[in-house]
């Protein structure tokens, strides 16, 4: 045969073999596809679509041991606890050695108020996998509800030790909150120092909590460093640099305070920071610089922050603009949400009396009396 005809014959055979295209996937492959699709939809928050995909998978592979747990996770995210519990119990029948199934059953029982069932399931999860941090955390919550605070702290910290890095800080913070609520500040301080120091969990919320406890213990310079580190790791939070500035102001370190306040302003312009800077300038006898900062404060005031407005009114009064200060306090104290703020009403009444505005004095004093106060408490 001529070589050309041999080539043509081969092409004909190849084309004939490709007429039907690639082989279609079988039931096993299609089921796996639905499992991947359902999992992706679940992770995207499309819960109804995920359930539909898992239902299609069930038609093709009804005995797949992964299926009940996958459906249970969807129901759990939807808040359908009883439906989720039924699925995870089915998952346990198919795979009783999977610790996550026991952990989920324990969590759901805890949410339903079934304490004994929850504890039993959680301990079975830990018997299979002692570092199941979800089970450890839930045991801590059960301990806390029973008033067993030391055991709760122990379980929260064990959970933190076993958890991924992103989950450690909230668990340590939860343990610290237990100590703080009990007034056990020394223990909270020691624990927070250990986790942010030797254990290396440099989380802004944890560092800030450490700073709070250091301030409470009178450890102002270490507190400033904790807040500073928290600010570096939370570059969009201006309040952390503000705390650093407040500490240095209290320590009579105006240069360091100004540097911290300027860092806060780099994050966000806020009137309360300009007020703080103005007070430092006043302490140095730099009145012109203080008035410049007052102007910036007036330009950036939000009008919704009570503390900010009261600080601004105080600065206005200090700089001889008492009528302007009184206008701020009068408007603020008259708002229904602030009618029960005794300090605000007293400050308003005192400044109004100084400026001989008796109508404002009477209104502020009436609000004080209406809060259970007496006219003798009014300036």
């Amino acid at each position: 045969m001529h070589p050309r005809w041999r080539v043509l014959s081969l092409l004909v055979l190849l084309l004939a073999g490709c007429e039907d295209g690639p082989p279609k996937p079988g039931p096993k492959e299609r089921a796996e596809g639905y499992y991947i699709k359902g999992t992706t939809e679940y992770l995207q928050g499309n819960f109804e679509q995920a359930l539909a995909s898992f239902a299609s998978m069930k038609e093709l592979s009804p005995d797949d041991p992964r299926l009940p747990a996958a459906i249970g996770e969807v129901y759990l995210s939807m808040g359908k606890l009883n439906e989720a519990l039924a699925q995870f119990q089915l998952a346990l029948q198919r795979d009783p050695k999977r610790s996550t199934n026991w952990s989920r059953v324990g969590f759901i029982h805890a949410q339903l108020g079934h304490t004994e069932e929850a504890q039993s399931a959680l301990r079975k999860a830990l018997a299979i996998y002692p570092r199941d941090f979800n089970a450890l955390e839930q045991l801590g919550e059960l301990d806390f509800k029973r008033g067993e605070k030391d055991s709760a702290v122990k379980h929260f910290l064990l959970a933190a030790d076993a958890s991924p890095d992103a989950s450690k800080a909230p668990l340590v913070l939860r343990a610290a909150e237990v100590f703080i609520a009990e007034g056990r500040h020394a223990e909270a301080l020691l624990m927070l120092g250990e986790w942010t120091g030797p254990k290396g969990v440099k989380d802004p919320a944890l560092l800030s909590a450490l700073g709070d406890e250091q301030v409470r213990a009178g450890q102002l310079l270490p507190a400033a460093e904790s807040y500073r580190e928290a600010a570096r790791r939370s570059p969009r939070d201006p309040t952390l640099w503000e705390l650093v500035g407040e500490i240095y102001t209290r320590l009579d370190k105006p240069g360091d305070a100004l540097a911290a306040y300027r860092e806060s302003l780099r994050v966000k312009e806020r009137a309360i920071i300009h007020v703080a800077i103005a007070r430092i300038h006043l302490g140095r006898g730099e009145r012109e610089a203080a008035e410049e900062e007052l102007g910036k404060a007036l330009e950036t005031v939000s009008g919704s922050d009570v503390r900010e407005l009261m600080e601004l009114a105080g600065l206005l009064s200090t700089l001889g603009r008492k009528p302007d200060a009184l206008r701020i306090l009068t408007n603020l104290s008259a708002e229904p949400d602030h009618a029960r703020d005794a300090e605000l009403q007293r400050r308003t009444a005192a400044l109004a009396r100084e400026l001989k505005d008796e109508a404002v004095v009477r209104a502020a004093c009436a609000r004080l009396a209406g809060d259970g106060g007496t006219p003798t408490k009014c300036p």
Side-chain angles (χ1 to χ4, degrees), residues 20 36 38 73 115 144 155 216 223 226 251 274-275 303 308 362:
D20 295 331
I36 295 171
E73 294 289 358
T115 303
F144 181 78
H155 280 118
R216 192 187 302 274
S226 295
L251 292 172
H274 287 296
V275 170
E308 179 183 71
R362 287 193 298 272

Side-chain angles (χ1 to χ4, degrees), residues 1-13:
M1 180 182 295
H2 192 278
R4 179 171 177 271
W5 294 112
R6 283 202 300 270
V7 171
L8 288 174
S9 300
L10 179 60
L11 288 173
V12 169
L13 289 172

Side-chain angles (χ1 to χ4, degrees), residues 72-142:
E73 294 289 358
V74 179
Y75 281 136
L76 188 57
S77 296
M78 296 173 75
K80 297 183 176 182
L81 298 181
N82 289 310
E83 292 89 336
L85 179 60
Q87 289 297 321
F88 281 114
Q89 287 172 332
L90 179 57
L92 281 174
Q93 293 176 17
R94 298 185 181 183
D95 190 359
K97 293 185 178 181
R98 183 173 183 258
S99 67
T100 302
N101 291 338
W102 286 110
S103 183
R104 289 290 190 265
V105 167
F107 173 80
I108 295 168
H109 274 307
Q111 303 312 301
L112 294 171
H114 308 154
T115 303
E116 291 185 7
E117 293 89 339
Q119 284 184 311
S120 174
L122 293 169
R123 295 197 183 282
K124 287 177 181 176
L126 291 169
I128 296 170
Y129 182 52
R131 292 180 62 81
D132 187 328
F133 67 94
N134 287 313
L136 288 165
E137 179 185 7
Q138 193 56 52
L139 278 177
E141 294 295 350
L142 290 172

Side-chain angles (χ1 to χ4, degrees), residues 320-358:
R321 295 175 58 174
K322 293 184 178 181
D324 293 333
L326 181 59
R327 276 192 287 274
I328 291 175
L329 293 177
T330 300
N331 291 332
L332 193 60
S333 63
E335 292 182 12
D337 290 345
H338 306 142
R340 299 172 67 86
D341 188 331
E343 176 61 23
L344 172 60
Q345 301 304 332
R346 289 192 186 97
R347 284 186 59 178
T348 303
L351 185 56
R353 192 175 297 284
E354 182 181 344
L355 296 177
K356 303 187 184 325
D357 191 331
E358 293 303 322

Side-chain angles (χ1 to χ4, degrees), residues 5-294:
W5 294 112
R6 283 202 300 270
V7 171
L8 288 174
S9 300
L10 179 60
L11 288 173
V12 169
L13 289 172
L14 288 172
L15 290 172
C18 295
E19 283 180 358
D20 295 331
K24 293 182 179 180
K28 183 178 179 180
E29 289 79 10
R30 288 164 58 200
E32 188 66 23
Y34 280 121
Y35 179 77
I36 295 171
K37 183 172 182 289
T39 301
T40 302
E41 289 164 337
Y42 162 70
L43 293 173
Q44 292 174 345
N46 302 322
F47 300 137
E48 294 294 344
Q49 294 93 319
L51 289 174
S53 294
F54 290 138
S56 298
M57 176 188 177
K58 187 175 182 180
E59 292 177 2
L60 296 166
S61 183
D63 297 325
D64 192 306
R66 301 170 299 171
L67 188 56
I71 297 172
E73 294 289 358
V74 179
Y75 281 136
L76 188 57
S77 296
M78 296 173 75
K80 297 183 176 182
L81 298 181
N82 289 310
E83 292 89 336
L85 179 60
Q87 289 297 321
F88 281 114
Q89 287 172 332
L90 179 57
L92 281 174
Q93 293 176 17
R94 298 185 181 183
D95 190 359
K97 293 185 178 181
R98 183 173 183 258
S99 67
T100 302
N101 291 338
W102 286 110
S103 183
R104 289 290 190 265
V105 167
F107 173 80
I108 295 168
H109 274 307
Q111 303 312 301
L112 294 171
H114 308 154
T115 303
E116 291 185 7
E117 293 89 339
Q119 284 184 311
S120 174
L122 293 169
R123 295 197 183 282
K124 287 177 181 176
L126 291 169
I128 296 170
Y129 182 52
R131 292 180 62 81
D132 187 328
F133 67 94
N134 287 313
L136 288 165
E137 179 185 7
Q138 193 56 52
L139 278 177
E141 294 295 350
L142 290 172
D143 291 336
F144 181 78
K145 288 179 181 178
R146 291 197 308 273
E148 298 176 6
K149 306 300 175 59
D150 286 331
S151 183
V153 168
K154 174 188 172 183
H155 280 118
F156 289 140
L157 294 181
L158 285 171
D161 187 62
S163 70
D165 289 346
S167 302
K168 291 184 185 299
L171 290 163
V172 176
L173 201 56
R174 182 72 181 95
E177 288 169 352
V178 175
F179 277 149
I180 292 168
E182 292 285 296
R184 297 162 65 177
H185 296 286
E187 292 168 273
L189 176 58
L190 185 64
M191 183 187 68
L192 290 166
E194 180 184 1
W195 279 86
T196 57
K199 289 184 177 289
V201 184
K202 303 292 188 180
D203 178 83
L206 219 54
L207 288 161
S208 181
L210 173 62
D212 293 346
E213 292 305 309
Q214 288 168 328
V215 169
R216 192 187 302 274
Q219 302 173 8
L220 296 185
L221 282 175
E225 187 53 42
S226 295
Y227 290 136
R228 186 192 301 276
E229 184 68 19
R232 289 173 181 149
R233 295 174 181 275
S234 184
R236 296 184 179 180
D237 186 350
T239 64
L240 294 167
W241 283 114
E242 180 186 356
L243 290 169
V244 176
E246 288 178 359
I247 289 175
Y248 282 130
T249 299
R250 194 186 306 182
L251 292 172
D252 196 22
K253 294 178 177 290
D256 292 329
L258 284 173
Y261 286 138
R262 286 177 184 134
E263 288 292 333
S264 180
L265 289 174
R266 286 178 60 187
V267 180
K268 183 179 180 180
E269 283 278 337
R270 291 186 301 146
I272 198 164
I273 301 301
H274 287 296
V275 170
I277 293 174
R279 292 202 176 279
I280 291 176
H281 286 309
L282 283 174
R284 291 173 161 183
E286 301 165 351
R287 184 179 179 87
E288 185 177 346
E291 289 181 341
E292 183 180 343
E293 291 297 327
L294 172 60

